[in-house]
Every structure is written in C-alpha cells, then in structure tokens.
Amino acid sequence: QAKDIILRGEGLLITGAPGSGKSFLCLEVCKLLKEKGERVVSIALTHSCAKLLGEGAMTVQAFLHRHVLHSNLWLNQSVSKG
C-alpha cells in the first residue's frame, strides 16, 4: 500500500519500531521511483539511518543546511537523477 501511495505522487511518512522494515521499504520505494526516472532524495532523522539508506541520503539537518539555508532548492543539479 505504501508503494502505491508514493507511485501516485502522494507524500508518505514512514514510522515504526526498530527492525520493522522502514529502511527496507524506503529502499524499495526509492528503487521503483529511480526506475521510473524520478529524482529521489532520501532524508533521515539520524546519521545511522542515513547510512542505511545508502549513497546520497542525508540527515534532515544536512538537507536544511545544504538546500534551504543556502537557497539551493533540492530540485537542482546537486541531486543526482537515477
């Protein structure tokens, strides 16, 4: 159901207990979106979660600093496509 929500272009907040599959679900959804040619930015609350989400993932603080504080919208070229 979460994948369907994302593929319709709607937002989704994923929460759950440790080990419940949040990171796995995020990775699967990101994979599907990248296969469709969508730009994907993975933002996590903690560094440990960002590491689980793989290359290009960042913490909320890093995202805000990099893309909001410096008026660098996340849709620009600094976010890789695919």
Side-chain angles (χ1 to χ4, degrees):
Q1 186 179 14
K3 291 179 187 178
D4 294 333
I5 291 169
I6 294 292
L7 292 174
R8 285 195 306 262
E10 299 176 29
L12 181 68
L13 174 65
I14 301 170
T15 64
S20 62
K22 299 178 298 292
S23 297
F24 177 79
L25 176 60
C26 286
L27 290 169
E28 289 295 308
V29 169
C30 289
K31 180 180 169 184
L32 286 173
L33 290 171
K34 288 177 182 180
E35 287 172 356
K36 287 182 61 179
E38 300 288 339
R39 290 184 182 195
V40 176
V41 177
S42 298
I43 304 171
L45 188 58
T46 65
H47 289 284
S48 59
C49 184
K51 287 179 185 177
L52 285 173
L53 295 178
E55 184 181 341
M58 63 185 81
T59 64
V60 173
Q61 182 178 357
F63 177 84
L64 293 174
H65 186 268
R66 193 174 300 165
H67 302 290
V68 177
L69 181 63
H70 297 293
S71 299
N72 184 11
L73 295 178
W74 69 276
L75 294 174
N76 73 10
Q77 296 174 348
S78 69
V79 176
S80 62
K81 187 173 182 178

